[in-house]
Amino acid sequence: MEHHAHAEELELQDRIIVGGPANGNPQTAPVEREFEVVGIIEDSDSGAHFAVCYSEAADEFIVTDRTGGLVESETLAQDILNDFLEQAGDAVAEDEL
């Protein structure tokens, strides 16, 4: 998977293009999908910032570093996504009060 990002540091609502094989199959022609930054998460242990990005067309989340590089560790990416979804759920619950 490759990415195209020209920003020094991603901000909310920035868009990035991610290219890779269709349906994860390396034998197919690459496709590009657009993702919007929907959250910025700080890792409390390292202080590093990560961007949570969502593609409406693919109905898929990805996690990048602050400059748009895909997070290679699936475990780390899943932990960051889980934190984001938990925070988003808490915010929705507070809005409903």
Side-chain angles (χ1 to χ4, degrees):
M1 215 176 254
E2 63 181 85
H3 77 285
H4 306 287
H6 295 40
E8 286 185 26
E9 209 171 84
L10 293 173
E11 299 293 334
L12 288 174
Q13 298 181 334
D14 282 353
R15 296 186 180 278
I16 62 171
I17 304 296
V18 176
N23 300 321
N25 182 350
Q27 302 300 319
T28 60
V31 296
E32 290 188 339
R33 293 180 298 223
E34 182 177 84
F35 288 82
E36 179 180 350
V37 178
V38 294
I40 304 292
I41 300 293
E42 180 179 358
D43 182 0
S44 58
D45 294 332
S46 69
H49 289 84
F50 298 94
V52 176
C53 309
Y54 179 71
S55 170
E56 190 170 323
D59 190 27
E60 178 182 5
F61 285 98
I62 60 170
V63 178
T64 71
D65 60 24
R66 270 312 279 273
T67 59
L70 291 172
V71 171
E72 297 295 326
S73 167
E74 288 185 33
T75 302
L76 177 59
Q78 190 62 55
D79 287 347
I80 293 165
L81 182 57
N82 289 344
D83 287 349
F84 169 76
L85 294 173
E86 183 178 311
Q87 290 177 17
D90 290 347
V92 169
E94 287 178 17
D95 286 345
E96 292 176 354
L97 293 179

